[in-house]
Amino acid sequence: MERPSSVFLILVLHVVLISTSCDSRSERPRKNVALFVFGDSFLDAGNNNYINTTTLDQANFWPYGETYFKFPTGRFSDGRLMSDFIAEYAKLPLIPPFLQPGNHLYHNGVNFASAGAGALAETFQGAVIDLKTQQSYFKKEAARLRSRLGEVEAKVTLSRAVYLFSIGSNDYTSIFLTNSSVLNTYSKPEYVGIVIGNLTATIKVRLSPVLQFLLSRTESYIDNHSKYFWQDVYKRGGRKFAFINLPPLGCLPGIRIIRPDKNSSCLEEASILAKLHNRALSKLLRKSEEQLKGFKYSLFNFNLSLRRRMNHSSKYGLKEGKIACCGTGQFRGVFSCGGKRTVKEFELCENPNEYVFWDSYHLTERVYKQLAEQMWNEASNSSMVGPYTLRDLFQSK
Ligand SMILES: *[C@@H]1O[C@H](CO)[C@@H](O)[C@H](O)[C@H]1NC(C)=O
Ligand SMILES: *[C@@H]1O[C@H](CO)[C@@H](O)[C@H](O)[C@H]1NC(C)=O
Ligand SMILES: *[C@@H]1O[C@H](CO)[C@@H](O)[C@H](O)[C@H]1NC(C)=O
Ligand SMILES: *[C@@H]1O[C@H](CO)[C@@H](O)[C@H](O)[C@H]1NC(C)=O
Ligand SMILES: *[C@@H]1O[C@H](CO)[C@@H](O)[C@H](O)[C@H]1NC(C)=O
Ligand SMILES: *[C@@H]1O[C@H](CO)[C@@H](O)[C@H](O)[C@H]1NC(C)=O
Ligand SMILES: *[C@@H]1O[C@H](CO)[C@@H](O)[C@H](O)[C@H]1NC(C)=O
Ligand SMILES: *[C@@H]1O[C@H](CO)[C@@H](O)[C@H](O)[C@H]1NC(C)=O
């Protein structure tokens, strides 16, 4: 009796061992899969909860988060953001904010984004984590990864990781929100050149302060300097980059109301800057692909996707494309959602799922999910995303 039973036990043990090793094999794809997130409030998962800033750049109070999390996480939405859905599609857990307290091992990447941040250090300076600081946090994280996993393994992780960016909106909207006089000093293409220049790396530039700085000039500047593009992340092994271009900034409820006449049209000045930026960005990415060996990217046409939803809401199962769910005043464009900012009064819609805009500048979870789906797998000939989709990036070696 004894022997067969111990044979049985050994057999059982063996089966258990095999099945656990099978399990870990089926989880294997999660090893060396990581998502690093940089940028602004379209992607901030709560970093600004932990910095010294004002409620203008925070969303850690009700009704933010009311739909999905049921508590405010710091995300500028009623629920999840694009990056949260992308993590889900890549079968990763939610990517945590870098500044969350505690001693964490970020196995599957980490989120450095900060609401209000721009590519320029001057943008909402002192209240946000600017792009350069986000990059310095990334350097720290890359060093930690190397000491934990060793050179070789860390290199594999960093080169297979996807680096997602949303940056630029605040560099342009801040001009209108703070009555900045920067456009008296620089022409629009010139200013776009400076923003893009800071996005590429910290390189020395001499931009001639001539007001007639044509777009072709901006583009030739980019031709000359694109080899520096994201050289820092690239230098640390980053190869797969995903970008979200700028929305029609002048049509966000909070920017629309800046017009002195406050009629229903968009603030064209802001949208023109966004348009110049988007043109320069796509050119920069094409150049980078040519010049940097192994550089792969996905560029999402946020502008087109959002405009379609604003103009033809019902086609996307939405009811309201211009008025925000939460806020006050015309289009609920006054940034008062939650009653913790300068203006205390606010209205809150009953069903955020019917709206494109959650608050004066940001979108509802419903729309973020639709956009993330497009980024993940929209046919890459659709002019919505390309040359790669996010799925392509995650699945490639
Ligand atoms: C936070 O910022 C305010 C205003 O800039 C400053 O007065 C205060 O000392 C800062 N607090 C900390 C803890 O840094
Ligand atoms: C910007 O300037 C306009 C007109 O001069 C003024 O009405 C508005 O309050 C100013 N806004 C800020 C944020 O200073
Ligand atoms: C970056 O921005 C600063 C202003 O913040 C500007 O002086 C500098 O020229 C920009 N750098 C590049 C590379 O464009
Ligand atoms: C780019 O480089 C070309 C050739 O070196 C030069 O003629 C041109 O002025 C440069 N453009 C800018 C904007 O620096
Ligand atoms: C809105 O204002 C712009 C610029 O002042 C003007 O051209 C346009 O006709 C106005 N539209 C309406 C609907 O009043
Ligand atoms: C957005 O797309 C529309 C339509 O393709 C275009 O006219 C507009 O200039 C674009 N705006 C931006 C900010 O890219
Ligand atoms: C949306 O509507 C605006 C103004 O009504 C128009 O300029 C723009 O071309 C439209 N965009 C799309 C994608 O239909
Ligand atoms: C995109 O490509 C797919 C497959 O290659 C094709 O079936 C589809 O018709 C294309 N769509 C467009 C808009 O060209």
Side-chain angles (χ1 to χ4, degrees), residues 217 220-221 224:
R217 190 78 199 277
S220 116
Y221 164 79
N224 291 2

Side-chain angles (χ1 to χ4, degrees), residues 267-286:
L267 183 68
E268 279 311 315
E269 290 279 292
S271 294
I272 289 169
L273 286 165
K275 181 181 179 167
L276 293 176
H277 178 97
N278 286 348
R279 262 201 242 166
L281 179 63
S282 53
K283 174 140 192 188
L284 173 66
L285 291 171
R286 280 196 303 273

Side-chain angles (χ1 to χ4, degrees), residues 165-288:
F165 294 86
S166 163
I167 198 81
S169 290
N170 292 303
D171 296 305
Y172 304 111
T173 56
S174 63
I175 296 174
F176 304 99
L177 294 172
T178 65
N179 279 347
S180 151
S181 62
V182 70
L183 291 183
N184 299 335
T185 312
Y186 299 106
S187 70
K188 290 192 184 77
E190 220 175 354
Y191 185 70
V192 170
I194 295 172
V195 172
I196 293 275
N198 273 265
L199 206 148
T200 59
T202 45
I203 45 170
K204 294 264 182 297
V205 257
R206 288 161 289 105
L207 283 175
S208 88
V210 178
L211 281 174
Q212 296 308 313
F213 201 84
L214 304 168
L215 178 65
S216 61
R217 190 78 199 277
T218 307
E219 293 193 347
S220 116
Y221 164 79
I222 286 163
D223 280 350
N224 291 2
H225 296 289
S226 58
K227 62 175 178 295
Y228 297 107
F229 181 69
W230 281 121
Q231 67 177 7
D232 240 31
V233 175
Y234 183 84
K235 210 167 68 193
R236 284 173 176 71
R239 291 296 178 270
K240 306 173 185 177
F241 293 79
F243 282 85
I244 295 160
N245 78 1
L246 301 190
L249 291 175
C251 301
L252 306 180
I255 303 297
R256 228 179 241 257
I257 61 165
I258 292 174
R259 288 188 78 89
D261 50 49
K262 296 201 173 170
N263 68 14
S264 61
S265 52
C266 303
L267 183 68
E268 279 311 315
E269 290 279 292
S271 294
I272 289 169
L273 286 165
K275 181 181 179 167
L276 293 176
H277 178 97
N278 286 348
R279 262 201 242 166
L281 179 63
S282 53
K283 174 140 192 188
L284 173 66
L285 291 171
R286 280 196 303 273
K287 284 279 156 191
S288 300

Side-chain angles (χ1 to χ4, degrees), residues 35-40 43-51 57-60 69 71-76 81 83-84 87 93-115 129 134 137-138 141 144:
L35 174 61
F36 292 97
V37 181
F38 301 82
D40 53 30
L43 301 176
D44 184 354
N47 281 307
N48 280 15
N49 298 350
Y50 310 110
I51 64 171
D57 291 309
Q58 288 181 318
N60 49 358
F69 298 100
F71 68 93
T73 64
R75 287 170 176 78
F76 281 78
L81 307 177
S83 40
D84 297 319
L94 285 177
I95 306 300
F98 181 72
L99 293 184
Q100 71 177 5
N103 197 8
H104 302 276
L105 296 177
Y106 298 120
H107 292 289
N108 295 111
V110 63
N111 184 322
F112 303 101
S114 166
I129 309 160
Q134 293 182 30
Y137 289 159
F138 169 69
E141 188 51 30
R144 274 176 48 166

